[in-house]
Amino acid sequence: MTQVVLGENEGIDSALRRFKRQVSKAGILADLRSHRHFETPLEKKKRKAIVARRKRRYS
């Protein structure tokens, strides 16, 4: 769970920026995308290309 505690004179913009940074660092959005049930054709194509690149590299 990601939490951001506001400082005394901190604006909402900087707190939101810190929150977004923490979420991306924790990999929450990437995890959500990988667990979605529906995958668009473009996402499927990109995923398959990445897997193929990895296979070529290590074989």
Side-chain angles (χ1 to χ4, degrees), residues 18-38:
R18 280 194 303 132
F19 176 73
K20 286 181 180 180
R21 193 178 313 126
Q22 285 181 1
V23 166
S24 69
K25 217 174 188 181
I28 295 171
L29 288 179
D31 188 48
L32 274 176
R33 286 190 194 106
S34 69
H35 284 89
R36 282 195 338 196
H37 291 286
F38 179 74

Side-chain angles (χ1 to χ4, degrees), residues 1-2 5 8 12 15-16 19-20 22-23 26 28 30 38 40 45 47 50-51 53-55:
M1 177 71 91
T2 302
V5 179
E8 194 145 323
I12 191 75
L16 185 61
F19 176 73
K20 286 181 180 180
Q22 285 181 1
V23 166
I28 295 171
F38 179 74
T40 64
K45 190 176 181 181
R47 182 178 48 82
I50 290 170
V51 170
R53 242 183 275 138
R54 286 182 188 152
K55 280 186 179 178

